[in-house]
Amino acid sequence: SQQGEEDPQALSIQEGENATMNCSYKTSINNLQWYRQNSGRGLVHLILIRSNEREKHSGRLRVTLDTSKKSSSLLITASRAADTASYFCATDAPNSGYALNFGKGTSLLVTP
Amino acid sequence: DSGVTQTPKHLITATGQRVTLRCSPRSGDLSVYWYQQSLDQGLQFLIQYYNGEERAKGNILERFSAQQFPDLHSELNLSSLELGDSALYFCASSVGQGGNEQYFGPGTRLTVT
């Protein structure tokens, strides 16, 4: 079953703009991770944020986590055409062996 | 390159057949996870092994089985294949029993005809 739900399902922006994707989940988590997938290829790990953290940065990526609202957001600043991909949030919990529960993803298109 | 390798890249087979997918985790990682990605179900967790032992089970069909060998590589066996088993199968590895980053392989695309 899907734990996370990303919003929006699809996002189209121009190069240089910021892209924000949101993720909501249903049950208590240990960690939340964001992944990128280019068309039918492997998933690339972007960032992991633990349940006791509120914000994390990595290069042009900024992730926030609000456990009270069971939600997270991924901000990509100054987007590039190479950022075009699907972005997934995934949560894990100790009672499920830390297996990742993925959302359906946000499809991001960055046009030059 | 995540350091996780999967073979084969593509597999085309007929209904009723059996296939084996192979995964080698990143050097030093003891956990291996298997996931299935299909258009209708999205990314679904199948099973996890840690240091040779089954650690967690997800939405894995009884026709599917897996194991992790002493050298830590893992195999996912799919039998009595049905059209609906056509999907991308990913293996991921992590350093501990869980709660850390999982690094994904490039996947095996299975097509059942």
Side-chain angles (χ1 to χ4, degrees):
Chain A
S1 62
Q2 302 286 343
Q3 158 80 310
E5 286 283 337
E6 287 92 343
D7 172 65
Q9 285 188 335
L11 182 59
S12 181
I13 59 174
Q14 290 195 308
E15 268 190 326
E17 294 181 337
N18 295 342
T20 299
M21 287 160 264
N22 302 298
C23 167
S24 59
Y25 56 92
K26 296 172 186 164
T27 60
S28 295
I29 63 169
N30 185 56
N31 302 312
L32 187 143
Q33 305 187 45
W34 284 91
Y35 287 85
R36 184 185 76 226
Q37 184 179 34
N38 291 83
S39 186
R41 303 183 67 176
L43 287 95
V44 175
H45 183 268
L46 296 177
I47 202 160
L48 178 151
I49 187 165
R50 302 200 184 278
S51 59
N52 61 355
E53 296 176 310
R54 291 297 165 256
E55 190 170 310
K56 213 160 180 182
H57 296 255
S58 176
R60 294 184 295 114
L61 305 180
R62 173 179 165 250
V63 167
T64 62
L65 178 63
D66 186 335
T67 53
S68 66
K69 293 181 179 175
K70 291 187 169 60
S71 68
S72 174
S73 68
L74 170 67
L75 168 68
I76 304 174
T77 60
S79 62
R80 305 165 182 168
D83 294 328
T84 294
S86 291
Y87 291 81
F88 295 89
C89 71
T91 57
D92 67 32
N95 61 357
S96 61
Y98 300 103
L100 293 176
N101 258 295
F102 283 88
K104 293 189 185 238
T106 292
S107 179
L108 174 66
L109 174 64
V110 182
T111 54
Chain B
D1 182 0
S2 67
V4 178
T5 61
Q6 286 187 250
T7 56
K9 268 189 176 172
H10 302 276
L11 205 45
I12 302 174
T13 190
T15 53
Q17 295 298 308
R18 173 189 164 95
V19 297
T20 297
L21 313 184
R22 183 189 166 104
C23 166
S24 292
R26 291 187 323 156
S27 176
D29 284 358
L30 298 179
S31 270
V32 169
Y33 303 78
W34 286 97
Y35 295 87
Q36 178 195 59
Q37 185 178 33
S38 62
L39 280 173
D40 52 344
Q41 298 287 332
L43 271 156
Q44 301 268 330
F45 165 67
L46 295 178
I47 197 164
Q48 178 205 3
Y49 280 83
Y50 173 75
N51 204 19
E53 301 283 326
E54 183 184 303
R55 176 83 171 83
K57 227 168 181 174
N59 299 322
I60 187 164
L61 300 171
E62 283 194 14
R63 300 183 285 108
F64 296 1
S65 65
Q67 54 184 324
Q68 186 180 28
F69 295 87
D71 67 353
L72 300 177
H73 90 271
S74 178
E75 292 181 357
L76 178 67
N77 300 296
L78 316 175
S79 61
S80 303
L81 285 168
E82 301 174 0
L83 295 177
D85 297 328
S86 295
L88 261 170
Y89 290 85
F90 289 107
C91 157
S93 72
S94 71
V95 64
Q97 291 192 49
N100 297 298
E101 294 86 345
Q102 291 186 25
Y103 294 92
F104 281 72
T108 292
R109 183 174 293 280
L110 173 67
T111 303
V112 182
T113 62

